[in-house]
Amino acid sequence: MSETQTGTNQTGAEQRIPVTVLTGFLGSGKTTLLNKLLRRPELADTAVIINEFGEIGLDHLLVEKSSEDGMVTLNSGCLCCTVRGDLVRTMSELFLKRAKGEVTNFKRMVVETTGLADPAPILHTLMTDPLLASRYRLDGVVTTVDGVNGTSTLDNHEEAVKQAAVADRVLLTKVDIAEAPRLAELKSRLHQLNPGAPFHAVADGEINPNEILNAGLYNPETKTADVKRWLHEEAYGHEHGGGHHHHGHGQDHDHHHEHEHGEQDPHNVNRHDDRIRAFCMTFDEPMSWSTVAAAFDALVTYRGPDLLRMKGILNVKDTDKPVVIHGVQHVFHPPATLDAWPEGDDRKSRVVFITRDIGESTIRKVFASFFEAEKKGWAQDETKQ
């Protein structure tokens, strides 16, 4: 974040291959889902990388059938142990083979993670490896949650809570055999963990691929950035009393996520959930890039591991175009400048945060202190505003 320029343009996004990261706890139905998805025409030109333990991978029939259709399926072992080398090597080799015509000219990629893993290292790899970043782009994180056993999985495994919290799309599987009251309770709990992620119910692994593809910033249909859908800020606004928070307003709207209230909240049935906060912060005034970059640098330095995910669009003083930021823990994607503000947009800066053990007021204080320092240092420049 500390580089001063506001990053690369969004041009070339259509050349880069979209990557969907499919995650979800063991037994939550990822493989069944993938088996069904890969038979759909929308995923005809898809390369698949499976990083799963043992024989949980795709059924061999499908793999063989798929290779006749020109699909590439690779099994590169468990990602949690060898994530960087393995994923970078596999994805780079695939891209080269594609360029040489040795494999089909695949149009997208799905990386299925091991059910026991935190998806963050994969996202870090996609965001920071220069070779991968020039050839692929993260389209979205899709998390499967077991409609029958999901509640106990979330109770017992912190990784499962993180998988749900960082998702762009949440798929509730086995809804055809789950009891309605338990399912309703699970949905409510997941919505509190991650208000901005649309939910889709999946029975027997069947889902319309369009519900989970193109979950990222760039929309290939319209060739523009779909910021509203990407940030899905209305979900947070509804949760947090309108959601519009301005500089200098210290009040904390995330009271129902705070520790002291966790015990009374019927949905916060366990401590893993209590630790997660989700909120959207809005800033009315344009901000200077150096100030906002310094504020994020400070947050990352002190609390990096607990900043599970950040997505935002910023109104930066030095450019008329919106700047998009995306971070996972201590790693930030190079900021991208969009060609134009979304139609009818009010040009407010908006950042969605999903954090662990960090309240909204803490982050607001960090930003406020940097904005304050900037005002003191550059008071004479501010008169133009």
Side-chain angles (χ1 to χ4, degrees), residues 135-147:
R135 295 165 173 184
Y136 296 96
R137 60 184 172 83
L138 173 65
D139 179 50
V141 180
V142 177
T143 300
T144 52
V145 178
D146 186 323

Side-chain angles (χ1 to χ4, degrees), residues 3-10 289 319 323-324 333-338:
E3 65 246 62
T4 45
Q5 93 211 44
T6 48
T8 53
N9 211 331
Q10 203 61 22
W289 175 250
T319 171
V323 175
V324 169
H333 215 284
T337 312
L338 304 181

Side-chain angles (χ1 to χ4, degrees), residues 168-201:
D168 294 298
R169 300 281 182 273
V170 175
L171 304 186
L172 272 172
T173 61
K174 308 180 189 174
V175 291
D176 43 337
I177 53 171
E179 295 168 17
R182 291 188 65 176
L183 202 58
E185 189 186 312
L186 179 61
K187 274 186 191 168
S188 163
R189 185 170 173 182
L190 289 167
H191 179 72
Q192 201 156 331
L193 277 175
N194 189 343
F199 281 63
H200 298 286

Side-chain angles (χ1 to χ4, degrees), residues 210-322:
N210 297 316
E211 304 284 14
I212 57 172
L213 301 177
N214 308 325
L217 176 66
Y218 180 78
N219 184 342
E221 304 300 315
T222 59
K223 300 275 188 279
T224 56
D226 198 343
V227 176
K228 287 228 181 306
R229 191 182 48 131
W230 187 59
L231 281 179
H232 200 191
E233 64 183 296
E234 293 81 8
Y236 302 89
H238 173 68
E239 288 283 301
H240 302 301
H244 287 288
H245 311 310
H246 314 294
H247 303 163
H249 286 262
Q251 77 270 34
D252 199 329
H253 283 277
D254 65 337
H255 54 270
H256 64 299
H257 283 287
E258 293 290 1
H259 275 288
E260 61 269 26
H261 295 279
E263 294 312 304
Q264 289 95 49
D265 193 322
H267 302 308
N268 278 359
V269 291
N270 85 346
R271 61 195 177 77
H272 299 317
D273 295 35
D274 284 349
R275 300 179 67 190
I276 307 285
R277 319 269 194 289
F279 44 89
C280 181
M281 283 171 60
T282 305
F283 303 97
D284 288 337
E285 300 158 39
M287 43 184 78
S288 84
W289 175 250
S290 54
T291 301
V292 75
F296 273 111
D297 273 347
L299 278 172
V300 164
T301 303
Y302 295 113
R303 299 301 302 268
D306 294 319
L307 296 164
L308 300 185
R309 201 154 179 201
M310 294 139 291
K311 311 190 258 194
I313 182 167
L314 304 178
N315 184 348
V316 173
K317 285 176 188 171
D318 329 303
T319 171
D320 193 40
K321 296 177 175 178

Side-chain angles (χ1 to χ4, degrees), residues 295-296 298-299 361-371:
F296 273 111
L299 278 172
S361 51
T362 306
I363 288 180
R364 187 143 340 103
K365 277 173 200 149
V366 171
F367 276 95
S369 67
F370 279 88
F371 290 131

